[in-house]
Amino acid sequence: MKTALVLSAGGMFGAYQAGVWKALQPVFRPDVVIGCSVGSINGWAIASDIPGDELIRTWLDPRCATLMTPRVPWRPWRAIFDPGPLQQMVQELTSTYTPHAAFAVAVTRLPQLRLEIVQTPDLTWRHVMASCAVPLAYPPVRIDGHLYCDGGLLSVMPVWAVQRFGITHAIAVNVLPSLPLNAVRAAVRMARLLAPREPQVTGVEVLRLGPERALGELHDALTWDEANARRWIDRGQADAEALIHSPQFALFPASSDRFV
């Protein structure tokens, strides 16, 4: 049996996923890690077997406060945030860590609004950057002559991608159970109406993990705050520990053969 860990979009709410990984790492090593948007950043590190405490330290680093720095002066035809700090972080991440498990990210191809999955070894830092490129917030990323943006635009939880890897069991960590702000929800609904239908998932046992309600407001998702990050990390760890002790997890193939 092959297992996967799937990580959602969610901006600064991604700190929750770091807490989840701290709890899961001792008992669950996925064959495949799949992420989109902030889940692609966490996913690269997790596929590289980063210790949970180390991933948590990256989320508590004050440099995270620079990741969503407004452009000054801002122009209506430009993205709101300066992509430089995020690009630097992504490049440091991908040069420091090397995925040992198969790793894939979801991206949205423009202008077709088509969901695509890119996996190692073809995946580069540009694909991670593209998966994080929320429309209007960050500029799209050009790769091989095509423009790509946020992999979570059409589907914040890329569970649809697991079937191409022959996965039988997956843990899906969704930090964005609902989109903050009515205007954002309306824009995403419109994009989904115009886009091709998301592939259906069949024959895969999925354990879903995440908060029942939004972890915060839109401002919280866009602005790093150490107190928020610590709270979300603790919440993710507690929720994952509860899952580990659940009857569902007892029936789950919790360890990959590659670690035996």
Side-chain angles (χ1 to χ4, degrees):
M1 291 185 286
K2 292 185 67 176
T3 63
L5 179 66
V6 188
L7 303 170
S8 76
M12 293 299 174
F13 298 151
Y16 177 101
Q17 296 172 349
V20 168
W21 181 238
K22 181 176 180 179
L24 286 183
Q25 186 182 29
V27 295
F28 177 70
R29 299 294 183 91
D31 296 289
V32 181
V33 180
I34 302 170
C36 70
S37 202
V38 72
S40 68
I41 294 175
N42 286 329
W44 182 288
I46 290 171
S48 305
D49 299 330
I50 190 173
D53 286 334
E54 188 172 336
L55 182 57
I56 286 171
R57 281 196 296 273
T58 67
W59 274 99
L60 298 179
D61 187 334
R63 287 197 307 164
C64 291
T66 68
L67 298 180
M68 296 182 181
T69 302
R71 292 180 188 257
V72 179
W74 179 70
R75 302 284 190 272
W77 58 86
R78 297 200 308 176
I80 296 172
F81 299 122
D82 177 4
L86 177 61
Q87 179 174 317
Q88 181 179 355
M89 177 188 175
V90 169
Q91 288 178 315
E92 288 180 5
L93 173 80
T94 54
S95 62
T96 301
Y97 301 101
T98 301
H100 303 298
F103 176 58
V105 302
V107 292
T108 303
R109 183 165 169 175
L110 300 174
Q112 298 92 340
L113 287 178
R114 186 173 71 197
L115 280 168
E116 294 186 4
I117 192 79
V118 185
Q119 66 189 81
T120 51
D122 299 325
L123 192 154
T124 70
W125 70 267
R126 294 182 184 278
H127 295 97
V128 176
M129 187 72 185
S131 189
C132 296
V134 181
L136 300 182
Y138 293 108
V141 179
R142 186 174 296 277
I143 304 172
D144 297 331
H146 302 289
L147 286 176
Y148 295 93
C149 73
D150 189 0
L153 175 64
L154 305 176
S155 175
V156 299
M157 194 63 249
V159 175
W160 57 270
V162 301
Q163 289 190 301
R164 70 172 54 204
F165 296 97
I167 297 300
T168 58
H169 295 73
I171 295 177
V173 185
N174 186 4
V175 302
L176 207 59
S178 62
L179 293 173
L181 203 66
N182 290 336
V184 175
R185 288 194 290 269
V188 171
R189 280 198 296 268
M190 180 60 68
R192 290 172 180 170
L193 286 174
L194 297 173
R197 187 178 297 275
E198 177 182 329
Q200 297 298 305
V201 178
T202 58
V204 180
E205 183 72 25
V206 180
L207 289 183
R208 298 185 182 273
L209 177 61
E212 294 182 0
R213 292 184 292 273
L215 290 169
E217 303 297 329
L218 180 62
H219 173 78
D220 300 318
L222 298 179
T223 307
W224 181 83
D225 176 85
E226 183 178 351
N228 281 342
R230 288 186 183 276
R231 185 169 65 253
W232 299 332
I233 288 166
D234 291 344
R235 174 76 179 277
Q237 183 177 351
D239 288 352
E241 288 172 350
L243 177 69
I244 290 169
H245 292 97
S246 70
Q248 296 89 340
F249 191 82
L251 301 175
F252 207 77
S255 182
S256 166
D257 290 342
R258 67 189 181 88
F259 290 93
V260 175

